[in-house]
Amino acid sequence: MKNRASLFLFSAVFLAVSVSHAQTRVAFIDATKIIKRMPEALDAETRLDQMVAQWNKEVGDMENELKRKRDDFERKKLIMTDAERNAVELDITDLKKRIDDFRQAKYGTSGDLYAKQAELMKPAYEKFNKALEEAAMEGKYDYVLDRGANDHSILYTNAKFDLSIPVAKKLGLETNDMFNIPLLNNPLNKPTQQNPNTPPNQQRPNPSPPQLAPGVTPH
C-alpha cells in the first residue's frame, strides 16, 4: 500500500509536468548524501555511535553472565536438589528476560535509540529543510523529489498546487488544524525497525531524509 501511494505521488508529479510543461518545474536531490555530510549530522553520528557502543557492552556483559550461569548449571544440575535446580532455572530465566527487555528498551521501534536519533538529527533536518526551501524558491521549482529514496519521495511542493483545504471542505471536514499533521510522510524519515532479539554490536540506523520542507503547507 505504501509503495502504491508513493508511485501514485511520483506519477502525479510527472502527469502535472506533461500537462503543463511550461508552468511546472521539477528538480531532484539526493537528500541522504547531503545530510550525511552536514556537521550537525556528523556530530549526531559520533554521539549515537558512542551511545550504542556503551549499550553493546552492557548487553555483552549480560550475555556473558547468562552463558556462565547456563554452563555452570549444566555441570551441576545432576547433583542439585529439585529446589536448587528450580532456583537456578528461575534465575537464568529472569536474566534472559532482563536482556530481552534491555534490547527492546534500547533498540526497539519505540526505544531510546530512535528517540535519541530523532533528537540529535533534528538540527540537521531543520537546517536542510530551510536550505531546500530557499533553493527551491530561488530556482522557482514547484516540486523537489528525493532521487536517493526508493520511492522518489516528494520533499517539497509549491503550496499553490495543494488542494487539501478545498477537498476537506467538500468532505465537510474541520480544516482549522489541517496542517498540524504532515500531509505527506517520507517513510525513510523513520529509522529502520530492528528486531529486539538482535545480538550485541547492534548498529545504529543511518541518518535519513527529513520530512517535507515547509513549502508543503500554505503560508
Side-chain angles (χ1 to χ4, degrees), residues 44-176:
E45 180 180 13
T46 298
R47 295 170 66 181
L48 285 169
D49 283 343
Q50 293 172 346
M51 182 174 63
V52 169
Q54 177 58 38
W55 292 343
N56 286 340
K57 181 181 182 305
E58 294 179 43
V59 172
D61 290 344
M62 287 190 289
E63 288 281 9
N64 290 336
E65 182 184 359
L66 179 61
K67 182 179 184 305
R68 181 187 60 78
K69 288 187 175 185
R70 281 173 169 169
D71 291 345
D72 188 60
F73 176 67
E74 288 299 320
R75 288 193 302 268
K76 299 178 179 179
K77 65 181 181 180
L78 294 179
I79 60 174
M80 288 180 174
T81 64
D82 290 343
E84 289 173 335
R85 279 196 297 271
N86 290 337
V88 174
E89 288 173 345
L90 180 60
D91 183 43
I92 290 174
T93 299
D94 287 344
L95 179 55
K96 179 63 169 60
K97 185 177 185 304
R98 291 205 305 274
I99 294 173
D100 291 342
D101 289 346
F102 182 89
R103 283 181 175 146
Q104 182 64 39
K106 301 303 182 184
Y107 305 126
T109 55
S110 59
D112 294 345
L113 176 59
Y114 302 99
K116 197 66 178 177
Q117 185 193 36
E119 174 189 335
L120 294 177
M121 287 299 297
K122 185 178 179 181
Y125 290 157
E126 290 179 343
K127 187 174 181 179
F128 174 88
N129 271 338
K130 186 174 185 296
L132 172 62
E133 183 180 24
E134 290 175 357
M137 294 179 69
E138 288 170 4
K140 297 182 180 179
Y141 291 106
D142 298 307
Y143 298 94
V144 177
L145 282 70
D146 181 11
R147 69 179 181 182
N150 293 332
D151 56 4
H152 293 342
S153 301
I154 299 176
L155 296 180
Y156 172 91
T157 62
N158 189 321
K160 71 181 180 181
F161 294 107
D162 195 338
L163 294 179
S164 302
I165 295 296
V167 171
K169 287 182 177 179
K170 287 181 179 295
L171 294 171
L173 302 177
E174 177 60 51
T175 60
N176 291 338

Side-chain angles (χ1 to χ4, degrees), residues 5-14 26-27 29 129 132 142-147 149 151-158 183-187 209-213 216:
S6 299
L7 180 61
F8 172 78
L9 291 171
F10 184 70
S11 301
V13 170
F14 284 95
V26 179
I29 191 173
N129 271 338
L132 172 62
D142 298 307
Y143 298 94
V144 177
L145 282 70
D146 181 11
R147 69 179 181 182
D151 56 4
H152 293 342
S153 301
I154 299 176
L155 296 180
Y156 172 91
T157 62
N158 189 321
L183 297 180
L184 295 174
N185 291 316
N186 182 354
Q211 291 179 351
L212 293 168
V216 75

